[in-house]
């Protein structure tokens, strides 16, 4: 899973995990490909063309295309895996699917909360003195039962200027706008994944379910701290910080909204609904709730289920009456991003016992399936984000993201951006530790081997084991021009990783034991988020981060929080399913468990 | 009914129709008098003291008071009629009635939409991680099911600063505020009668149902025209006028709100609900709806039933989450003020056939009782407001408000403010025409008698019949110093009044005929509004303005629109009854009746 390929879809570069289908790769990156079957190889509509070096055609390709087309590079996106870098052409959409594929292969039947209907109303007369509102609601009595006050402020003028030919815009059961003429073909929604670090926005065409544009940027709250505890602390130290954090979150969302609307050629007023998934702290901050009690024991949120929220309450530029769906949290540390992730990965529908893990400073873990679900949060610390690691860095250009041992017995490093390595990101850290443990250079307790032992078990690597200052380190790469800029793994780094993985492993082990299960009962592990996409399944198993059920069952689920937000916009059924999850998931508070510390120590070793 | 008396309650001067009880006189003017029976003479709690010249005690007074108290001027307010000017002392309230008397003797059991409850909540723990909102809603699960988003923005801080001892404020089924400590004794509401001319505000203590303060002022929209058509026309001529009118209405309401809160010692944030009764045009303007279609055939409102309105939508300073109850209209010209008036006068509960008439430029007429109600609007024109009358004026100081013939056969004038007469208000106009018709100086067609005939039938008055310019006039009063400032009634004035009364009489006659009834079937006529309070029942009958069922059955109902607004604040049951009226009342559009003009001409004579 740590391997990635670089693709270009209509000249837009994306980087995706090796082996995913091109349909999923495009869809996850907001690039719409025709499909009515949703990637099952039956509709033969997901046509794409390799501009160079097309892969061997599948049997379906041969049935779907002429020989000339096959030679020209045409393939079906849903049956073609991303195995090498490729330059791909995606034709414009020709059909409007009634269903859309989002999340982890979830087929969503389009039934958005926002609907439009074009009305040609009878003009009033002395014999028909129904009010303007009664006239409109009477024509859409299967859709709407009430209206926003703001609609009434322009209704009289709009109806008469448009000769009573108007489009009603309904959100759930409320008339939120009446527009002159027929605007039924323009209905958009914005899905946000409001992460502590990164925020992603997807502009969706709600009439087709297709993503129109996607953009991401760092959360502008970053200067107040890298993780949620730092940001909560800031609000406790400075009475003005909460307001500033709210403002910065709103600015982040607004900038992304403007970017995707610009890219998609969509006016702000055509965005009629917003969905947002984020952890409890992010949601508290963006809504202007006091986050302090979330940050200290007993970890209390202001609210889980939220009252009606408007896009304007989040600072998102959209239609003035646009509502916002904010995913509810299970607990202070299993937030709405996880609710969205569970929805997108179908945790509530799959009968198998699966383990859903979202690794970050705080690691959320959910165990179960269709019949039961339990969730907990484990304090994994910053190691997986490279933050407490000597040479740690974010997964950006220059970061070592994968470490293996080559045929020559020496290290083989994969560096993001194919540049000289400048640091170690989370997936590289896990790989490095797993590799050294495999090589015998780290013992089961996590201690570096003595020099003599190292030379005996791994002669090609032993020289890399040295001392910097008073600390033993393993040198991953040496910058010939500047030895001080070498990238290395220190004994303390290993300890940091041990703490993190022990917290996570203790979390899922407690969930398993509470359910009367063992690791062998888990059929699949879903790793959520971008970190999960780049983590080597083999290494994760090696260090005990995930149950040892074979690397093929460790699945990178991608940005499931954002996918869940998209699903909420596309389907009120799935939105309701997310709310139902709140009742279905049992939240386990680890800090309340007297056995936590003993279990934690048991899990420190490799 | 045209006679009035001047009272002082605790040094506050009020002017009320002759004969009303002092309890009603005080109550209608916002002066609270103890009572639990609601004016039925059974509780003996409505104690007041005449500071001078107390009336003869009733048998109830003798049972309620000691001889010394009787001598000292103590009487029961509910059994003492206002028959002369009086200076009255009202003791402070000693009881909190569970019921309040409002409207036309309506007993309202207190059940406001706004309720407070003091909560002493358990503090959260790791074993009880309910969110702040769940904690509060769980403690008031019989009251509230949801919360305003704004509540959540301060909830965390409020709970912790107040050690989880807080007061929940609930409006209908929504938590609108959580306040530190116990504030359950401070719950206020504001009732507005938003008239085209005059706006009245009453501040109510919702825990007792008692009015705390009342204030009135002219509607600041006056510069845009005296009646609703003038104001609607203004919005059609000037695109900016609607905004200005909205602003002026809001300023009027805000100024009154500030005045009554100041007088009552109530902070703006302690006003948790607002009720507003007004005609359809006033409501359209204050809510920012386009009124144009209300003003021209086929007379279409934007909406009758309104979605949720906040006090802030009306520009009323109150608690930021305060809701506003805006009375729904039956039609463009039978507005929410009439709905409120019907509620306050119990038209929907009384089994008798009654006629409810609100006389103004537009006259609203409702016929019926508990079992059925029909309503219409008649274009009465401005005569009753003195506007199209040569010497016409508003009912203000200097206006002749009553005209009778003294024992000497000459005119006897009652002038508001006991000053020299400077004009003629509506009630004086009706009196003058009725008196002259009685005296034979006006024939049945409304023409002034010839000079010779006048001398024959009314020698003491004949000299007053003269000519000014080319017009025949009847001089009501001569200013000795300035004959040009004389107050007179012209032939054209009589015609104006004839048009007005014919429109009204045609209205109620059509309603009666549609119901298969005649004037004799009407058991009572309720005259709504201040004009109705000052109109002489005898004169109204004489000119055919109301059915001839005897003056004692012509009742001045007072400011029933304002009373209805108060009822809506005090009782959700009565509020629901007002909404139910919308379904119960059949609206008859007169401009749609082919027989209207013929009927109208029939009604022109006296």
């Amino acid at each position: 899973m740590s391997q990635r390929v670089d693709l270009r879809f209509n000249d837009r570069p994306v980087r995706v995990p090796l082996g995913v289908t091109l349909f999923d790769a495009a869809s996850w990156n907001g690039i719409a490909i025709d499909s009515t079957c949703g990637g099952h190889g039956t509709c033969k509509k997901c046509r794409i063309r390799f501009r160079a070096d097309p892969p061997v055609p599948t049997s379906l390709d041969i049935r779907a295309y002429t020989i000339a087309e096959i030679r020209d590079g045409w393939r079906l996106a849903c049956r073609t895996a991303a195995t090498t870098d490729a330059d791909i052409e995606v034709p414009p959409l020709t059909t409007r699917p009634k269903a859309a594929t989002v999340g982890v292969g979830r087929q969503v039947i389009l039934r958005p909360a926002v609907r439009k209907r074009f009305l040609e109303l009878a003009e009033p007369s002395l014999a028909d003195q129904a009010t303007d509102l009664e006239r409109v609601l009477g024509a859409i009595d299967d859709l709407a039962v009430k209206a926003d006050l703001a609609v009434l402020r322009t209704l009289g003028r709009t109806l008469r200027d448009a000769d009573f030919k108007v489009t009603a815009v309904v959100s759930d059961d409320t008339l939120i706008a009446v527009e002159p003429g027929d605007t039924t073909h323009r209905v958009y929604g914005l899905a946000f994944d409001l992460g502590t670090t990164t925020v992603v926005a997807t502009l969706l065409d709600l009439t087709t379910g297709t993503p129109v544009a996607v953009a991401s940027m760092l959360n502008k709250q970053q200067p107040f701290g890298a993780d949620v505890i730092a940001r909560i602390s800031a609000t406790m130290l400075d009475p003005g910080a909460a307001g500033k954090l709210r403002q910065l979150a709103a600015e982040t969302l607004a900038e992304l909204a403007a970017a995707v609307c610009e890219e998609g050629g969509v006016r702000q007023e055509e965005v009629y609904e917003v969905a947002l998934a984020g952890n409890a702290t992010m949601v508290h901050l963006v809504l202007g709730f006091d986050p302090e009690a979330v940050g200290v024991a007993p970890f209390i949120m202001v609210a889980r289920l939220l009252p009606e929220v408007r896009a304007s309450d989040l600072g998102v530029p959209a239609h003035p009456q646009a509502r916002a769906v904010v995913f509810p949290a299970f607990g202070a540390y299993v937030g709405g991003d996880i609710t969205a992730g569970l929805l997108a990965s179908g945790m509530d529908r799959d009968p198998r016992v699966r383990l859903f893990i979202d690794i970050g400073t705080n690691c959320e873990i959910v165990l179960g399936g269709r019949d039961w679900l339990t969730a907990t949060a484990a304090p994994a610390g910053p190691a997986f984000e490279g933050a407490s690691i000597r040479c740690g860095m974010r997964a950006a250009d220059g970061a070592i993201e994968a470490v293996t041992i080559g045929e020559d017995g020496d290290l083989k490093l994969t560096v993001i951006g194919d540049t000289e390595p400048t640091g170690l990101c989370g997936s590289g850290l896990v790989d490095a530790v797993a590799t050294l443990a495999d090589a015998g250079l780290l013992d089961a307790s996590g201690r570096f081997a003595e020099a003599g032992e190292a030379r005996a078990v791994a002669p090609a690597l032993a020289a890399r084991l040295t001392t910097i200052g008073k600390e033993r380190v393993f040198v991953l790469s040496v910058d010939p021009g500047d030895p001080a800029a070498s990238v290395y793994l220190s004994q303390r780094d290993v300890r940091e990783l041990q703490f993190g993985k022990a917290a996570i492993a203790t979390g899922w082990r407690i969930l398993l034991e509470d359910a009367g299960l063992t690791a062998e009962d888990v059929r699949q592990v879903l790793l959520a988020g971008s970190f999960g996409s780049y983590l080597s399944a083999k290494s994760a198993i090696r260090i005990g981060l995930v149950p040892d059920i074979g690397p093929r069952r460790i699945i990178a689920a991608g940005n499931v929080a954002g996918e869940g937000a998209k699903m909420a916009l596309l389907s009120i059924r799935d939105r309701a399913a997310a709310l139902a999850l709140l009742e279905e998931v049992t939240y386990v508070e680890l800090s309340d468990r007297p056995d936590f510390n003993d279990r934690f120590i048991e899990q420190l070793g490799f």
Side-chain angles (χ1 to χ4, degrees), chain A:
Chain A
M1 279 294 140
S2 70
Q3 298 291 93
R4 295 185 302 173
V5 295
D6 288 306
L7 304 175
R8 298 176 74 83
F9 286 111
N10 291 350
D11 299 318
R12 186 157 134 229
V14 302
R15 191 166 170 85
V16 302
L18 179 76
V20 301
T21 71
L22 293 175
F23 186 83
D24 285 346
S27 162
W28 289 354
N29 285 285
I31 295 139
I33 297 180
D34 262 337
S35 174
T36 51
C37 75
H40 287 87
T42 54
C43 74
K44 306 192 186 75
K45 287 187 174 151
C46 55
R47 296 163 61 95
I48 54 170
R49 192 176 76 82
F50 284 76
R51 287 177 172 158
D53 306 313
V56 176
T58 67
S59 58
L60 267 177
D61 289 326
I62 290 166
R63 273 183 272 162
Y65 297 108
T66 63
I67 298 291
E69 284 173 324
I70 297 270
R71 283 201 189 126
D72 203 17
W74 289 96
R75 299 289 183 275
L76 292 179
C78 74
R79 294 286 136 157
T80 308
T83 52
T84 61
D85 296 0
D87 187 2
I88 293 159
E89 180 189 323
V90 179
L93 291 181
T94 59
T95 60
R96 293 182 164 198
K98 293 219 167 118
T101 302
V102 291
V104 184
R106 292 293 299 271
Q107 266 288 98
V108 174
I109 304 297
L110 287 191
R111 175 58 183 82
V114 176
R115 283 175 292 173
K116 282 188 169 185
R117 193 171 290 173
F118 177 55
L119 308 175
E120 298 184 90
L121 299 169
E123 295 199 17
S125 66
L126 284 173
D128 171 15
Q129 290 181 314
T131 65
D132 292 342
L133 179 60
E134 287 163 352
R135 200 167 297 279
V136 173
L137 288 182
I140 52 170
D141 58 1
D142 56 323
L143 296 187
V145 297
K146 56 188 170 136
D148 276 346
L149 187 64
V151 174
L152 304 183
R153 293 206 160 123
T154 53
L155 183 59
R157 194 73 280 142
T158 302
L159 285 180
R160 286 160 186 84
D161 287 352
D163 290 330
F164 290 85
K165 293 175 181 59
V166 293
T167 299
V169 188
V170 175
S171 182
D172 278 326
D173 60 352
T174 303
L175 180 70
I176 63 165
V178 174
E179 299 172 343
D182 184 353
T183 66
T184 49
H185 56 298
R186 304 283 294 176
V187 193
Y188 297 91
L190 265 172
F192 288 105
D193 168 20
L194 176 59
T196 312
T197 305
T198 305
V199 185
V200 184
T202 306
L203 179 66
L204 281 175
D205 181 335
L206 300 183
T207 69
T208 62
T210 48
V212 175
V214 66
S216 70
M217 64 187 288
L218 287 179
N219 189 325
K220 287 176 183 266
Q221 294 176 335
Q222 293 276 349
F224 283 82
D227 56 45
V228 298
I229 294 299
R231 297 200 199 151
I232 294 172
S233 302
T235 70
M236 294 162 71
L237 296 171
D238 168 9
K244 284 178 215 151
L245 284 162
R246 182 178 172 196
Q247 177 63 27
L248 291 167
E251 282 173 16
T252 309
L253 298 178
E255 217 166 278
L256 286 170
V260 290
C261 283
E262 166 82 23
E263 186 187 334
V266 169
R267 285 182 298 112
Q268 174 181 325
E269 298 75 30
E270 295 174 319
V271 175
Y272 299 98
E273 193 167 41
V274 166
L276 181 140
N279 64 50
T281 303
M282 287 304 108
V283 167
H284 274 60
L285 288 173
V286 76
L287 284 172
F289 300 172
D290 184 350
E292 183 174 334
V294 171
V296 294
F299 314 114
I300 304 301
M301 289 183 287
V302 169
R304 298 202 307 165
L305 278 172
L306 295 169
E308 183 179 280
V309 178
R310 303 270 177 126
S312 57
D313 292 318
L314 302 169
V316 174
H319 189 281
Q321 306 310 116
R323 271 40 171 188
V325 183
V326 179
F327 274 86
F330 299 110
Y333 288 94
V334 180
D337 51 345
I338 302 305
T339 315
L342 296 183
L343 179 71
S345 53
M347 280 290 281
D348 57 328
R349 303 203 178 183
D350 196 312
R352 296 173 293 172
V353 172
R354 298 198 290 171
L355 190 56
F356 176 103
I357 303 181
D358 190 337
I359 296 171
T361 302
N362 174 62
C363 175
E364 297 95 344
I365 306 165
V366 184
L367 176 73
R370 191 177 57 196
D371 302 321
W372 56 271
L373 289 164
T374 59
T376 194
F384 295 105
E385 292 175 346
S388 59
I389 303 301
R390 294 273 186 232
C391 297
M393 67 179 287
R394 275 194 211 294
D397 278 1
I400 298 171
E401 59 166 345
V403 179
T404 51
I405 295 192
E407 292 179 5
D408 58 357
D410 198 4
L411 287 189
K412 208 179 130 189
L413 305 178
T414 308
V415 180
I416 299 178
D418 287 328
T419 64
E420 280 304 302
T422 55
L424 190 61
C425 70
S427 62
L429 174 68
V430 172
D431 260 13
V433 169
T435 301
L436 296 190
D438 266 345
L441 294 178
L442 276 171
D443 67 15
S445 77
R447 205 165 46 81
F448 277 125
E450 295 304 319
E453 191 187 345
R455 273 189 302 273
V457 297
L461 300 173
R464 293 172 176 268
L465 211 51
T466 175
T467 302
I468 293 183
K470 288 182 176 176
E471 197 177 25
R472 296 206 73 198
V473 302
F474 181 88
V475 177
L476 292 163
S477 84
V478 179
D479 186 334
D482 177 10
S486 298
V487 180
Y488 58 86
L489 177 75
S490 77
Q491 181 66 61
R492 190 171 150 278
D493 296 341
V494 177
R495 297 299 181 211
E496 288 282 341
L497 181 70
Q498 282 179 280
F499 287 133
K501 83 100 185 178
I504 294 168
T506 305
W508 54 258
R509 280 178 191 275
I510 284 179
L511 291 186
L512 278 170
E513 279 175 38
D514 283 2
L517 300 176
T518 65
E520 290 69 42
D521 295 312
V522 175
R523 308 321 298 163
Q524 194 174 62
V525 175
L526 294 167
L527 295 173
S530 57
F531 177 66
S533 298
Y534 305 131
L535 184 64
S536 152
K538 196 167 144 283
S539 296
I541 292 172
R542 178 63 187 84
I543 69 164
L545 186 62
V546 297
D548 183 3
I549 55 172
R552 282 187 311 157
R553 293 191 173 187
I554 315 298
I555 305 292
N559 174 16
V560 281
E563 290 296 305
K566 285 157 66 178
M567 287 173 73
L569 289 179
L570 295 179
S571 162
I572 52 167
R573 206 168 304 135
D574 283 300
R575 183 183 303 187
L579 288 185
L581 273 170
L582 269 202
E583 300 303 316
E584 289 162 12
V585 175
T586 307
Y587 180 65
V588 176
E589 175 64 53
L590 288 187
S591 62
D592 200 21
R593 301 279 294 222
D595 55 347
F596 181 81
N597 284 350
D598 288 346
R599 303 301 193 83
F600 177 80
I601 289 164
E602 282 170 23
Q603 294 304 320
L604 281 170
F606 299 120

